[in-house]
Amino acid sequence: MTDLVAYLVGGAAVLVGAYAGWHMLRDRPLGDPLFYAVGALEILLVVLLVGASIALSTTSRDVDGVLFVSYLVTIVVIPPAAVLWGIAEKTRWGTGVVVIAMITTAVLVLRLLGIWKGSYV
């Protein structure tokens, strides 16, 4: 896992979060464009899951595999859960849940990079 990949995925999560924040401020419910943006991010996260799992299996680094994989799985699960919650909540706070989920996803991706590098224990 490289810095570039982590920063790109984290940046994509922040962009989707900003787009969801714009929807929330304009009092719009979770609609198709936001749904597709989260879906595109989810595709990136699944690619990250597969690529990082392969990198973990072939690396000679001292990485805690259980912690690393648990972060990967959590990162993949958060966006769909937020979308389901956002669809169920018809007020502006349904979109607010998506904002918080995207910020959380971005932070977890950076934490995942720290675990990979061994700079966070």
Side-chain angles (χ1 to χ4, degrees), residues 1-10 13 40-56 68-69 71-76 105-106 108-113 116:
M1 187 168 146
T2 64
D3 290 355
L4 178 63
V5 171
Y7 291 136
L8 284 176
V9 174
L41 177 66
E42 185 67 17
I43 291 170
L44 283 175
L45 294 174
V46 169
V47 169
L48 177 66
L49 171 73
V50 172
S53 297
I54 292 170
L56 179 64
F68 190 75
V69 171
Y71 267 81
L72 282 171
V73 171
T74 301
I75 289 169
V76 171
T105 301
L108 287 177
V109 168
L110 294 178
R111 173 79 173 118
L112 186 70
L113 179 63
W116 178 256

Side-chain angles (χ1 to χ4, degrees), residues 26-80:
R26 300 185 55 88
D27 204 17
R28 292 185 174 183
L30 197 146
D32 286 346
L34 182 55
F35 180 80
Y36 297 142
V38 174
L41 177 66
E42 185 67 17
I43 291 170
L44 283 175
L45 294 174
V46 169
V47 169
L48 177 66
L49 171 73
V50 172
S53 297
I54 292 170
L56 179 64
S57 67
T58 60
T59 189
S60 61
R61 292 176 184 245
D62 185 26
V63 178
D64 184 3
V66 173
L67 181 65
F68 190 75
V69 171
S70 67
Y71 267 81
L72 282 171
V73 171
T74 301
I75 289 169
V76 171
V77 170
I78 288 175

Side-chain angles (χ1 to χ4, degrees), residues 7-25 30-45 78-80 82-83 94-106:
Y7 291 136
L8 284 176
V9 174
V14 168
L15 286 176
V16 173
Y19 185 57
W22 180 77
H23 273 271
M24 185 184 75
L25 291 175
L30 197 146
D32 286 346
L34 182 55
F35 180 80
Y36 297 142
V38 174
L41 177 66
E42 185 67 17
I43 291 170
L44 283 175
L45 294 174
I78 288 175
V83 166
T95 312
V97 169
V98 177
V99 172
I100 298 301
M102 295 305 106
I103 293 169
T104 303
T105 301

